Amino acid sequence: MRGTLLYSSVLVALAEAQQLYLTTTGYTERLQCTQPAASPEYSFRPFSYTLNETVRYATSVPAPTTTQTYAAPYSEAVKHLTTPPATTTWGSWLPGQTDIPATDTDDPYGQAAWSSLWELADIKNYTTTGLYSTTASPTPVPSSELVLPPRNYFGPTDCYNFPDDFVFGVAGSAAQVEGAVGLEGRSPTIQENLATIDQPKNYVTNENYYLYKQDIQRLAAMGVKYYSFSIPWTRILPFVVPGSPVNEQGIKHYDDLINTILDAGMQPVVTLIHFDSPWLFVSSDNFSATPDFGNANGGYHNETFVDSFVNYAKIVLTHYADRVPVWFTFNEPFLYSFNFTGANNVVHAHAQVYHFYKDELKATGKIGIKFNDNFGVPRDPTNSSDIAAANRFQEIQLGLYANPIFLGKQYPDSVLETLPGAKPLSEDELSYISNTSDFFGIDPYTATVVSEPPETFTDCAANHTTANTLFPYCVVQETKTIHDWSIGYRSHSYVYITPTYLREYLNYLYNTFRKPVLVSEFGFPVYKENEKEELSDQLFDTPRSIYYMSFMSEILKAIHEDGVHVMGALAWSWADNWEFGDYTQQFGLQVVNRTTQERFFKKSLFDLVDFVGARMGS
């Protein structure tokens, strides 16, 4: 008990200084026996096979008995839109189509104008569509697929439970699982031209756009409670800007998806934009076939971005806020607003959407924003320069948004002194933006070892040319500790298994930004899993199970031993998906056959759901 209390006290004290460093004891201290070992006595005895396998099945989510609402239905909420948009439908953009060209060339939002978006975007290698063209009816999940796999020999030894309101589920995003990119009125996004000519594209992926009913049924059968997904802006508003018509097919699709989730006994979590900025925002002159990706930054810097995004968000919220308990405005905006103008636009747009949701719709669900940031830990915790580097690393990625949104504080000095064009927010802006997130969403896949740069922070910040590979962080990032050990067990990508650093990170976030923390993504692509020839070898993914079990165990410790309010955790991803031009990094909890679109449960999904299920309740 004394050790636990001391540990917690140290964490709280360090959190206030925004400098957290974790030490752990060795295994020997945890293996002390209460009784001295007796000398063994050897003897012969009759042998029989006794290790009979106990068959256990996944427990499905129970059917709902009531439906909770969080806002007025669309028929009432629509009055909060200044001018309710018109709705219409468009056709599909198919590879090598020979349809008669549209003749409504005088209509700025007609079929001809919609088709021209795809022509001008000049999507490369668009030669493939999927197996499905209509929504597939679900089939029951056979009980044979729900038999739990053998347990891992070693596992968590905690005795804690998750709070009753803990949000646990799985996540995915439209661009990475839906496919059907040119079908049913959707217009182009940055993702269709993101991958190089020889990389896989997002034209088909998991065909979740037509297979969502089956996907939801499979997850419900496994006992998953929350399903996090994103709604593509261009599926709802193909022409993006305020005043343009709404795609009726898109509205009906996500209406049915949400109802399907609820009917299965699950709960929806919705992200408004997840790396699929409309093509109109990332093209050089809004209608160019050659966008400047070096400066596009997802289009967040566009002068019309804020008004357009807020308009899109209002349309989505008025339609679905009554049934969705948790919303994210932006996913990991730092990766797509890699300049000050873009980041500043995100902060303002987010705040406007929050106020619309809370002040106008009077919605009672939760709405927030989610960030990327592999926790920056100092290479040498006794070196003040490395500590400063770690703090700077957090400020550049998180403080840029979180200071004003959560604390009503100015942008960090490190941001104002580093990003070209950066300028402080006014007092009125800070007052409006402050406290506009109900939780702190974070995607803490792993940790990063950080140290001071060869030059000073100031010199690095002043050198923002492409030759400066450290800009804008202006710190050295590594994956090895000061003793030259890897920070953890390595995956197929940048992710390392770093559970103790996760606990430290949760302490940092909660004590710094003073809001419940929602782990909105975390996952682990097993090394060369895609190269395993036997399906059974891919399914028995022990390293991924270890990742999830250790991370969830540390979340429990953060809750119960450190007093950190962790609101929930959403595993990435519910199935192997399109990782932005790559299928080799398999983050999924299910294998997907790319030829047949069949899904197969991995061991890690059973282990993760079983772990949480056994620890829910007081």
Side-chain angles (χ1 to χ4, degrees):
M1 176 62 72
R2 178 180 178 276
T4 298
L5 291 174
L6 177 60
Y7 176 82
S8 299
S9 300
V10 170
L11 280 176
V12 171
L14 288 176
E16 294 176 352
Q18 299 187 23
Q19 301 169 6
L20 299 178
Y21 313 108
L22 188 67
T23 60
T24 57
T25 56
Y27 293 112
T28 54
E29 294 185 34
R30 301 180 185 273
L31 296 176
Q32 295 175 355
C33 299
T34 57
Q35 298 291 335
S39 299
E41 296 182 1
Y42 305 106
S43 62
F44 292 104
R45 65 190 65 190
F47 171 80
S48 63
Y49 292 100
T50 59
L51 295 177
N52 296 320
E53 185 174 342
T54 300
V55 178
R56 296 190 304 139
Y57 293 90
T59 303
S60 62
V61 176
T65 56
T66 59
T67 301
Q68 184 174 352
T69 58
Y70 306 91
Y74 177 73
S75 59
E76 297 178 30
V78 68
K79 67 182 181 183
H80 296 288
L81 299 180
T82 304
T83 303
T87 61
T88 188
T89 59
W90 292 270
S92 296
W93 183 256
L94 298 169
Q97 61 182 350
T98 57
D99 295 347
I100 299 174
T103 58
D104 56 349
T105 53
D106 293 334
D107 185 349
Y109 302 124
Q111 181 66 40
W114 181 85
S115 297
S116 72
L117 296 177
W118 284 97
E119 293 171 350
L120 291 167
D122 190 26
I123 306 303
K124 305 297 184 184
N125 276 6
Y126 186 18
T127 59
T128 306
T129 56
L131 299 175
Y132 297 87
S133 58
T134 59
T135 301
S137 298
T139 57
V141 180
S143 60
S144 59
E145 292 188 37
L146 300 175
V147 177
L148 270 69
R151 298 179 186 270
N152 291 328
Y153 188 77
F154 293 106
T157 57
D158 62 86
C159 55
Y160 299 125
N161 284 338
F162 291 102
D164 291 339
D165 60 353
F166 190 80
V167 173
F168 167 70
V170 295
S173 81
Q176 295 174 264
V177 300
E178 277 193 353
V181 296
L183 310 183
E184 298 189 12
R186 179 186 178 278
S187 66
T189 77
I190 188 176
Q191 294 300 334
E192 280 75 76
N193 247 328
L194 179 68
T196 60
I197 195 70
D198 58 344
Q199 287 181 298
K201 306 297 194 297
N202 65 330
Y203 309 147
V204 175
T205 64
N206 296 7
E207 294 198 69
N208 172 255
Y209 186 77
Y210 293 121
L211 295 175
Y212 64 93
K213 290 182 181 291
Q214 183 69 35
D215 287 329
I216 295 303
Q217 183 156 304
R218 287 179 61 81
L219 292 170
M222 285 291 293
V224 174
K225 299 287 181 67
Y226 285 81
Y227 179 74
S228 180
F229 65 96
S230 67
I231 296 178
W233 187 342
T234 60
R235 186 83 73 181
I236 302 299
L237 286 171
F239 288 91
V240 183
V241 296
S244 62
V246 170
N247 180 11
E248 184 178 339
Q249 287 179 292
I251 290 293
K252 289 181 177 178
H253 173 84
Y254 294 102
D255 187 71
D256 191 59
L257 171 57
I258 290 170
N259 288 338
T260 298
I261 294 168
L262 294 171
D263 290 344
M266 299 169 64
Q267 294 293 315
V269 177
V270 179
T271 301
L272 291 172
I273 187 167
H274 190 122
F275 293 164
D276 49 3
S277 294
W279 181 257
L280 292 180
F281 277 140
V282 298
S283 56
S284 307
D285 58 0
N286 280 2
F287 283 94
S288 169
T290 311
D292 181 359
F293 287 105
N295 296 310
N297 299 298
Y300 294 179
H301 70 300
N302 189 289
E303 62 183 10
T304 63
F305 177 84
V306 174
D307 289 343
S308 297
F309 177 79
V310 172
N311 172 69
Y312 153 68
K314 287 181 177 180
I315 291 171
V316 172
L317 289 171
T318 53
H319 277 90
Y320 309 131
D322 59 328
R323 287 159 289 162
V324 176
V326 182
W327 292 87
F328 298 112
T329 53
F330 289 88
N331 167 76
E332 301 184 354
F334 184 77
L335 296 181
Y336 265 36
S337 60
F338 202 60
N339 59 32
F340 178 76
T341 301
N344 191 56
N345 282 346
V346 166
V347 169
H348 283 82
H350 165 83
Q352 288 189 42
V353 173
Y354 180 91
H355 283 294
F356 177 78
Y357 181 81
K358 294 289 186 178
D359 303 340
E360 298 188 50
L361 293 183
K362 306 295 184 184
T364 59
K366 297 183 185 299
I367 187 168
I369 186 170
K370 61 197 290 273
F371 304 111
N372 65 288
D373 183 18
N374 302 327
F375 187 37
V377 296
R379 186 171 186 270
D380 182 358
T382 66
N383 184 315
S384 59
S385 296
D386 287 353
I387 293 173
N391 287 332
R392 178 186 172 87
F393 185 82
Q394 264 73 257
E395 287 177 351
I396 294 293
Q397 287 201 119
L398 297 181
L400 172 60
Y401 308 94
N403 270 21
I405 289 174
F406 291 89
L407 305 175
K409 292 175 59 176
Q410 191 55 258
Y411 292 127
D413 290 342
S414 56
V415 169
L416 295 174
E417 296 166 0
T418 300
L419 298 185
K423 59 182 180 180
L425 293 162
S426 69
E427 290 300 321
D428 288 343
E429 287 176 312
L430 283 171
S431 177
Y432 181 78
I433 296 167
S434 176
N435 197 33
T436 54
S437 189
D438 295 327
F439 53 82
F440 196 104
I442 193 68
D443 300 346
Y445 283 87
T446 191
T448 300
V449 178
V450 175
S451 58
E452 62 176 326
E455 55 188 336
T456 66
F457 294 133
T458 302
D459 290 341
C460 174
N463 177 20
H464 47 80
T465 65
T466 55
N468 184 1
T469 57
L470 299 184
F471 185 85
Y473 301 102
C474 290
V475 301
V476 175
Q477 300 180 50
E478 301 175 86
T479 58
K480 292 186 178 181
T481 69
I482 192 172
H483 301 294
D484 210 33
W485 278 99
S486 290
I487 196 170
Y489 182 81
R490 185 178 181 178
S491 73
H492 194 79
S493 67
Y494 66 94
V495 180
Y496 290 73
I497 299 179
T498 54
T500 52
Y501 290 111
L502 171 68
R503 178 179 175 184
E504 182 178 351
Y505 195 19
L506 296 173
N507 274 269
Y508 168 79
L509 296 174
Y510 185 63
N511 290 292
T512 301
F513 299 109
R514 307 285 171 157
K515 286 288 186 179
V517 180
L518 176 53
V519 178
S520 40
E521 289 181 26
F522 67 127
F524 187 84
V526 175
Y527 184 66
K528 291 189 176 181
E529 182 179 271
N530 67 301
E531 296 182 15
K532 296 181 178 179
E533 297 181 359
E534 294 291 335
L535 174 62
S536 59
D537 291 335
Q538 292 195 41
L539 300 182
F540 210 105
D541 57 339
T542 294
R544 184 177 289 107
S545 287
I546 293 173
Y547 174 92
Y548 279 124
M549 297 303 95
S550 61
F551 270 50
M552 296 303 291
S553 185
E554 291 301 307
I555 287 174
L556 280 171
K557 292 175 185 176
I559 293 171
H560 290 279
E561 297 182 19
D562 308 335
V564 175
H565 184 176
V566 182
M567 174 180 154
L570 301 168
W572 184 273
S573 173
W574 57 265
D576 292 336
N577 56 37
W578 182 69
E579 286 295 330
F580 308 110
D582 187 13
Y583 281 121
T584 64
Q585 299 180 58
Q586 297 185 172
F587 278 87
L589 291 158
Q590 296 179 77
V591 169
V592 177
N593 184 307
R594 297 287 161 205
T595 301
T596 65
Q597 288 294 356
E598 290 178 280
R599 281 81 153 123
F600 303 90
F601 296 124
K602 296 181 186 179
K603 172 179 166 59
S604 58
L605 180 55
F606 286 97
D607 289 343
L608 178 57
V609 174
D610 197 36
F611 178 94
V612 176
R615 292 163 176 78
M616 289 298 293
S618 56

